[in-house]
Amino acid sequence: GAGVSQTPSNKVTEKGKYVELRCDPISGHTALYWYRQSLGQGPEFLIYFQGTGAADDSGLPNDRFFAVRPEGSVSTLKIQRTERGDSAVYLCASSLNEGGSPLHFGNGTRLTVT
Amino acid sequence: QQQVKQSPQSLIVQKGGISIINCAYENTAFDYFPWYQQFPGKGPALLIAIRPDVSEKKEGRFTISFNKSAKQFSLHIMDSQPGDSATYFCAASKDGGATNKLIFGTGTLLAVQP
């Protein structure tokens, strides 16, 4: 079956620009997570959704980062006024529920801010 | 503050040998300890996970050993194969929080030589 799909796979943008990263979770998965992985590091938690609502956004680094999941399926991570330090792989993951079911990651969007 | 410390940073093992990766954690509230495998250009994939009510869990060639008093857990890969060459991440999450709101270690790059 289809896994977690993320688009685009690569995004190059100039400093100061706005970007949107899209995530299509596995069908039927109610929990959706965003993580960020810098080169040579483990993923870092950003935000997670249970259904349409952001249940925990404590990992978002600042108010330039925002994420939505309006219909409880597809999610978009939005970054305003991008900075070079935002360059990383942004990983989306989903799980059937938040009760300990396995987390399935997408292949990520590699964001490069020049 | 690094809450999950992973070692070694890299590991070279001969085909058929045993690969051992170690992690130590600080927060005694952690109660879910998964290991993820990541190939270049791909998202992490759940390999095996353990909760602190058991000291060992085995799935095929992969075993987690857990030492609650020492706050340490390790991954053992028996009969290591070249196809196991990847980066391995340990992770942990807290009781009472989202199970998949994970804190990852920094990763171990495993190379299995034929």
Side-chain angles (χ1 to χ4, degrees), chain A residues 10-82:
Chain A
N10 282 282
K11 176 72 177 178
V12 180
T13 191
E14 292 180 348
K15 179 175 177 292
K17 299 291 188 183
Y18 168 83
V19 296
E20 289 189 351
L21 311 179
R22 176 187 168 107
C23 173
D24 280 273
I26 293 172
S27 178
H29 281 196
T30 62
L32 184 146
Y33 293 75
W34 285 98
Y35 282 80
R36 177 167 73 173
Q37 187 173 24
S38 299
L39 192 63
Q41 299 296 315
E44 289 181 88
F45 169 81
L46 296 177
I47 184 171
Y48 100 89
F49 292 85
Q50 183 58 48
T52 60
D56 186 333
D57 66 357
S58 61
L60 294 178
N62 51 59
D63 62 5
R64 296 186 297 104
F65 289 75
F66 188 72
V68 296
R69 194 186 187 198
E71 297 177 357
S73 177
V74 171
S75 177
T76 305
L77 179 65
K78 308 179 181 194
I79 310 174
Q80 298 178 321
R81 304 183 304 281
T82 52

Side-chain angles (χ1 to χ4, degrees), chain B residues 20 24 40 65 77 81 97 104:
Chain B
I20 302 174
S65 297
I77 306 174
Q81 299 296 312
F104 282 84

